[in-house]
Amino acid sequence: MKYMYKLTEETLSDDDLGSYKTYGIECVDKSKGAVLYKVSDVSPSRKRVDAAVDIFNSMGVSLIHVPEILSDMIGGDND
């Protein structure tokens, strides 16, 4: 695979929630280091997003499938 997925961390602010930490995923070209795709604010659960990153990397998930897989994986409330 010519790219790899990485966990990202951000602190965002919301009028109702205030400041909160959230996690996302970015896909990076291994040879150039360029970010090919980034999804912010996937979940406040680092464990959940880290599991997705591990699966994406181990299964060699194509970028085209990332949005649908994230929707299926992150959509629930189970850790």
Side-chain angles (χ1 to χ4, degrees), residues 31-57:
S31 63
K32 299 177 183 173
V35 176
L36 304 173
Y37 182 81
K38 183 174 180 177
V39 182
S40 297
D41 201 12
V42 171
S43 174
S45 170
R46 182 184 182 110
K47 179 180 173 183
R48 191 175 279 171
V49 178
D50 208 24
V53 168
D54 287 345
I55 290 169
F56 289 179
N57 284 320

Side-chain angles (χ1 to χ4, degrees), residues 14-71:
D14 179 83
D15 290 339
D16 295 328
L17 300 173
S19 181
Y20 65 98
K21 189 178 290 188
T22 185
Y23 301 92
I25 296 174
E26 67 181 18
C27 179
V28 178
D29 182 303
K30 284 183 180 178
S31 63
K32 299 177 183 173
V35 176
L36 304 173
Y37 182 81
K38 183 174 180 177
V39 182
S40 297
D41 201 12
V42 171
S43 174
S45 170
R46 182 184 182 110
K47 179 180 173 183
R48 191 175 279 171
V49 178
D50 208 24
V53 168
D54 287 345
I55 290 169
F56 289 179
N57 284 320
S58 66
M59 301 291 289
V61 172
S62 173
L63 285 172
I64 196 165
H65 299 293
V66 171
E68 183 178 356
I69 294 170
L70 279 177
S71 177

